[in-house]
C-alpha cells in the first residue's frame, strides 16, 4: 500500500526543503498537494529530485463541472494543470465538481458528464488520471453537489475512459452515512485514489476514533490495491505527525 502525504495538513508552515527530509526519515516518499498556485514548480521539481520524493496528485485551479456555462473555463484550467503535471511527472489530478447550482440534478449530472467526456482525450494524451471527488455537505462543504459515491461511480462509468476515476474519501463518505467498506469493495476498479482522516474530526485518530482504518487497510492489502492512499488530515498537535507516520509505516 502506498501512502501519499498531504503536506498542508501534516507539515503546516514548513517549506518543501524542510518537509521532504522529514518524509524520507519517516519512511515515506510520496506526497500530494491541494494547489500549485504560488508554487515555484521548477524549484519544487528540483527539491523532489534532490530528496527522491514524488507527487501523486494535485488540484487544478478551477473545478466547476456542473455548470455548462463554465465548461470552457474548466477545460482551460485542466489544460494548464496537465502541463504542470507533465513538468512534475505527476500521474493524477483531483477535481471537485462545484456547488449545487439549483438546476435539476439530472441537468447537473449531465453537465458533469459532458465535461468529463471532453476532458478524457486530453487526459489520455497526457497519460494523466482525473480523480473525481465526492465531498460531505453535512459538516465541511455545505451546498456541494456530489456527495453520494454511487453517483460518482456512475459518472466514472459513463465517462468511459480509464483516465477518469473516483477519489474515495473515507472521511467524507463516513459523514454521509455510507457503509464505506462495502461501497469500496464493490467498486474497487473505479477507484483511483483514497483519502483518509480521523472520523469525525479529520484528525490523527485513525485507529482509536470513530472509524478504525485497520479494516480498510486489511481490505486493500487483501485485494492488492496499488492506488495511493492519501493521508489528508489535520493533527490536533503538529507534534503528533511523527507518531502518526510511525503507526502507518507497517501498513505501507
Amino acid at each position: 500500500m502506498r501512502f501519499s502525504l498531504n503536506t498542508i495538513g501534516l507539515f503546516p508552515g514548513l517549506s518543501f526543503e524542510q518537509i521532504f527530509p522529514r518524509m524520507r526519515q519517516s519512511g515515506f516518499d510520496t506526497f500530494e498537494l491541494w494547489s500549485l498556485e504560488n508554487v515555484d514548480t521548477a524549484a519544487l521539481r528540483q527539491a523532489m529530485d534532490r530528496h527522491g520524493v514524488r507527487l501523486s496528485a494535485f488540484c487544478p485551479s478551477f473545478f466547476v463541472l456542473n455548470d455548462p456555462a463554465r465548461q470552457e473555463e474548466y477545460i482551460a484550467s485542466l489544460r494548464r494543470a496537465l502541463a504542470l503535471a507533465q513538468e512534475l511527472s505527476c500521474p493524477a489530478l483531483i477535481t471537485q465538481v462545484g456547488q449545487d447550482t439549483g438546476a435539476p440534478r439530472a441537468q447537473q449530472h449531465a453537465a458533469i458528464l459532458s465535461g468529463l467526456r471532453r476532458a478524457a482525450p486530453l487526459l489520455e494524451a497526457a497519460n494523466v488520471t482525473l480523480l473525481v471527488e465526492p465531498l460531505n455537505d453535512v459538516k465541511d462543504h455545505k451546498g456541494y453537489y456530489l456527495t453520494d459515491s454511487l453517483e460518482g461511480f456512475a459518472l466514472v462509468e459513463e465517462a468511459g475512459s480509464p483516465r477518469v476515476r473516483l477519489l474515495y474519501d473515507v472521511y467524507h463518505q463516513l459523514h454521509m452515512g455510507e457503509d464505506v467498506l462495502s461501497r469500496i469493495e464493490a467498486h474497487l476498479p473505479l477507484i483511483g485514489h483514497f483519502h483518509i482522516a480521523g472520523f469525525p474530526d479529520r484528525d490523527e485518530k485513525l485507529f482509536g476514533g470513530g472509524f478504525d482504518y485497520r479494516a480498510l487497510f486489511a481490505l486493500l492489502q487483501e485485494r492488492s490495491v496499488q492506488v495511493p492512499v492519501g493521508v489528508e488530515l489535520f493533527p490536533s498537535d503538529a507534534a503528533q505527525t511523527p507518531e502518526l507516520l510511525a503507526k502507518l509505516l507497517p501498513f505501507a
Side-chain angles (χ1 to χ4, degrees):
M1 193 160 48
R2 177 158 53 96
F3 289 105
S4 174
L5 308 185
N6 180 286
T7 58
I8 297 296
L10 293 172
F11 304 100
L14 299 184
S15 69
F16 292 122
E17 285 292 351
Q18 294 170 307
I19 292 169
F20 294 159
R22 286 169 168 81
M23 284 176 51
R24 295 309 307 268
Q25 289 164 11
S26 298
F28 298 89
D29 66 0
T30 303
F31 71 106
E32 57 189 68
L33 297 170
W34 284 333
S35 172
L36 287 177
E37 291 189 19
N38 303 316
V39 171
D40 182 336
T41 53
L44 173 58
R45 180 63 200 240
Q46 291 174 0
M48 289 167 57
D49 292 343
R50 184 159 48 249
H51 296 286
V53 300
R54 52 186 172 176
L55 176 62
S56 69
F58 66 92
C59 300
S61 60
F62 181 81
F63 34 77
V64 175
L65 268 167
N66 58 333
D67 183 349
R70 308 197 72 181
Q71 191 173 105
E72 294 302 326
E73 193 174 355
Y74 182 88
I75 294 298
S77 176
L78 180 66
R79 290 182 185 277
R80 293 192 296 271
L82 286 172
L84 291 173
Q86 297 292 311
E87 180 182 346
L88 296 168
S89 301
C90 180
L93 300 172
I94 298 170
T95 187
Q96 288 85 45
V97 303
Q99 296 292 99
D100 192 324
T101 65
R105 290 193 66 87
Q107 290 183 17
Q108 294 185 69
H109 183 101
I112 296 168
L113 181 57
S114 172
L116 293 177
R117 286 176 172 168
R118 281 192 64 186
L122 303 176
L123 297 162
E124 291 163 8
N127 202 30
V128 170
T129 300
L130 187 65
L131 304 162
V132 181
E133 185 175 21
L135 305 172
N136 85 75
D137 66 352
V138 298
K139 181 177 181 180
D140 301 288
H141 299 278
K142 302 290 186 180
Y144 184 68
Y145 172 81
L146 183 62
T147 61
D148 189 336
S149 68
L150 286 182
E151 182 173 5
F153 288 126
L155 284 162
V156 168
E157 288 187 307
E158 292 164 346
S161 170
R163 287 299 170 188
V164 177
R165 287 292 179 262
L166 194 87
L167 191 163
Y168 195 98
D169 189 310
V170 178
Y171 164 83
H172 285 304
Q173 302 314 137
L174 283 169
H175 273 293
M176 295 309 300
E178 291 189 5
D179 181 345
V180 296
L181 295 179
S182 296
R183 193 69 62 91
I184 289 168
E185 187 168 20
H187 298 89
L188 274 173
L190 301 177
I191 298 174
H193 200 102
F194 291 92
H195 276 165
I196 62 172
F199 177 78
D201 296 322
R202 207 171 188 176
D203 56 15
E204 74 280 4
K205 298 181 182 69
L206 298 179
F207 307 121
F211 179 79
D212 192 330
Y213 279 89
R214 282 172 289 202
L216 172 65
F217 298 162
L219 170 62
L220 299 184
Q221 289 175 333
E222 177 187 341
R223 299 291 292 273
S224 300
V225 173
Q226 298 300 315
V227 304
V229 176
V231 184
E232 188 190 53
L233 55 81
F234 302 91
S236 53
D237 184 320
Q240 297 290 330
T241 295
E243 182 180 348
L244 169 65
L245 296 181
K247 290 179 179 177
L248 287 176
L249 189 58
F251 299 98

